[in-house]
Amino acid sequence: MDCEEEFFDAVTEANPRVPGVILVDTSKSNGIGKVGERPPQENGIQKHRTSLPAPMFTRSDFSVWSILKKCIGLELSKITMPIAFNEPLSFLQRITEYMEHVYLLHKASCQQKPLERMQLVAAFAVSAVASQWERTGKPFNPLLGETYELIREDLGFRFISEQVSHHPPVSAFHSEGLKEDFLFHGSIYPKLKFWGKSVEAEPRGTITLELLRHKEAYTWTNPTCCVHNVIIGKLWIEQYGTVEIVNHRTGDKCVLHFKPCGLFGKELHKVEGHIQDKNKKKLFIIYGKWTECLWGIDPVSYESFRKQERRGDHLKKPKPDEDSLKADSDVVDEVPETQETVQVIPGSKLLWRVNTRPPNSAQMYNFTSFTVSLNELETGMEKILAPTDCRLRPDIRGMENGNMDLASQEKERLEEKQREARKERAKEDTEWKTRWFHQGRNPYTGTPDWLYTGGYFERNFSGCPDIY
């Protein structure tokens, strides 16, 4: 049995307890993990829930304009928003959603050729933002010192994150494969700006992936996300910008263009790009939609198909009436019509396809099945988790349970508690000390980064701050 067959036999979401997955003794391990005895399921959960305790709260009775009208062009991290515009997750949990399609990393580690590994790394980078489709709720800002951990034996990884700075807000994360096949880490500084009708989120910060068996490191940054019609009209989301993934060992690079919607919505959700070697020779073409799937094909076949397509495209489609479009856009950003699904070029291979969302997703903040499980807290988990874990935040828990009044009160209490703690540190002239990450430089790019110090899974949580 080869590496790839071994992995796919071992890891399936449908089977929560599968053979072949290393058990990690979380009471002793400081690094990737050692074989040992531990409870049979991650974080004490026997089976993942499929729905939230309460349906999504309606936002129709709230006006965000009274808050945002003074903020046009400004950075929004210091603006307090009504809780009705949140979703019941911390931003640290939102980052964890990068891991939903982690099978791509396990599969990449099994490939012998650098080009095939880069194809799967590119698919993973695109898949990491797929859960944002139709996710118009704002995650809760993490409190300074807040953490989130997730161990998924069925998916073969564990994950730890910490809010390492409040102003500016910086979230650091570190994930590792339970079979010692990868490390995935980074620090994210989400820069939010309001532009009148839309809110733009630029996720600054470097993301690093290390494939340990191949001694390879890849780095990239995520595209910009924009939520339209935050004042009036139907909310809709697009991602745009260029993502460059660099293989620091071979010099290969993958350049992915997340297309902006465009005037008539033709480019909505589209991703196009290529993989090139260190001499800039194109080796592979990638195309698809970040909301659906990603395909790839060799450059010769791609160019041949495009030439045939151009020769056959004689009929121009009539354009919509521009005056009516302009009139509508004065009030709202017109929601583009979803175009036909990705046109697959003959000879292409499928790199990734998005997971189907649960049927009740629209009543659960448009969460994926993976996302629904992130804030799950079963009896006894409090004894395992750090006291700073997001699952223990009373405001998020209140909102998840449908108690909006309690959630709002707790959110105000926690924010005031954080402000008082900051004043106390200023009075005593002491600086905040992070617990699980430290400032340094990315070993591959040389840029400032937050690096995992280690030790979290030894579970010595004495001295953790009281933030809740």
Side-chain angles (χ1 to χ4, degrees), residues 263-264 320-330 332 334:
L263 185 57
F264 305 119
D321 182 74
E322 294 189 16
D323 289 335
S324 65
L325 274 174
K326 185 178 186 302
D328 286 341
S329 67
D330 286 341
V332 300
E334 193 72 14

Side-chain angles (χ1 to χ4, degrees), residues 3 35-36 38 59 99 136 145 211 262 366 433:
C3 176
V35 178
R38 71 181 302 273
R59 301 182 179 120
M99 307 305 295
T136 54
L211 296 181
N366 291 307
K433 291 183 179 179

Side-chain angles (χ1 to χ4, degrees), residues 173-200:
F173 68 91
H174 175 90
S175 183
E176 50 199 36
L178 297 181
K179 286 194 164 187
E180 303 188 17
D181 50 351
F182 75 85
L183 295 177
F184 178 61
H185 51 93
S187 48
I188 304 295
Y189 169 21
K191 193 81 172 177
L192 302 178
K193 281 195 174 181
F194 173 55
W195 295 113
K197 291 181 289 185
S198 61
V199 172
E200 187 178 75

Side-chain angles (χ1 to χ4, degrees), residues 298-311 345:
D298 68 276
V300 174
S301 300
Y302 179 82
E303 289 302 327
S304 174
F305 178 82
R306 288 304 181 208
K307 285 180 181 177
Q308 293 176 11
E309 189 180 48
R310 284 192 291 269
R311 283 199 297 268
I345 300 171

Side-chain angles (χ1 to χ4, degrees), residues 64 67-71 74-82 138 141 167 192 194 411 415:
V64 74
I67 296 167
L68 292 182
K69 61 185 178 182
K70 300 177 182 177
C71 306
L74 299 180
E75 208 275 313
L76 293 182
S77 65
K78 297 181 181 180
I79 306 301
T80 300
M81 298 286 288
K138 176 184 177 294
N141 292 333
H167 290 307
L192 302 178
F194 173 55
K411 181 172 179 283
E415 289 170 349

Side-chain angles (χ1 to χ4, degrees), residues 111-244:
Q111 306 306 309
Q112 298 305 311
K113 297 179 181 178
L115 177 59
E116 293 175 348
R117 293 196 291 274
M118 179 64 94
Q119 291 168 12
L120 290 162
V121 172
F124 176 76
V126 174
S127 78
V129 301
S131 68
Q132 295 188 36
W133 178 52
E134 295 192 329
R135 292 278 293 283
T136 54
K138 176 184 177 294
F140 282 70
N141 292 333
L143 301 168
L144 185 61
E146 185 173 310
T147 61
Y148 182 73
E149 71 158 273
L150 183 66
I151 303 173
R152 289 291 297 259
E153 292 167 2
D154 56 332
L155 301 180
F157 77 91
R158 67 184 185 182
F159 182 100
I160 174 63
S161 57
E162 179 181 8
Q163 190 70 7
V164 294
S165 174
H166 186 60
H167 290 307
V170 181
S171 308
F173 68 91
H174 175 90
S175 183
E176 50 199 36
L178 297 181
K179 286 194 164 187
E180 303 188 17
D181 50 351
F182 75 85
L183 295 177
F184 178 61
H185 51 93
S187 48
I188 304 295
Y189 169 21
K191 193 81 172 177
L192 302 178
K193 281 195 174 181
F194 173 55
W195 295 113
K197 291 181 289 185
S198 61
V199 172
E200 187 178 75
E202 181 187 351
R204 298 181 181 180
T206 302
I207 292 174
T208 303
L209 168 67
E210 300 178 46
L211 296 181
L212 301 177
R213 294 171 187 167
H214 303 282
K215 298 181 179 178
E216 283 181 341
Y218 302 78
T219 58
W220 68 90
T221 58
N222 280 332
T224 295
C225 178
C226 187
V227 181
H228 293 267
N229 297 335
V230 293
I231 306 302
I232 190 172
K234 181 177 171 57
L235 292 166
W236 60 278
I237 288 178
E238 65 173 331
Q239 307 256 8
Y240 46 77
T242 299
V243 173
E244 291 192 355

Side-chain angles (χ1 to χ4, degrees), residues 421-436:
R422 187 168 63 245
K423 289 177 184 177
E424 281 297 313
R425 289 195 301 273
K427 187 187 300 182
E428 297 173 5
D429 197 25
T430 58
E431 291 188 1
W432 175 265
K433 291 183 179 179
T434 55
R435 183 68 186 267
W436 310 112

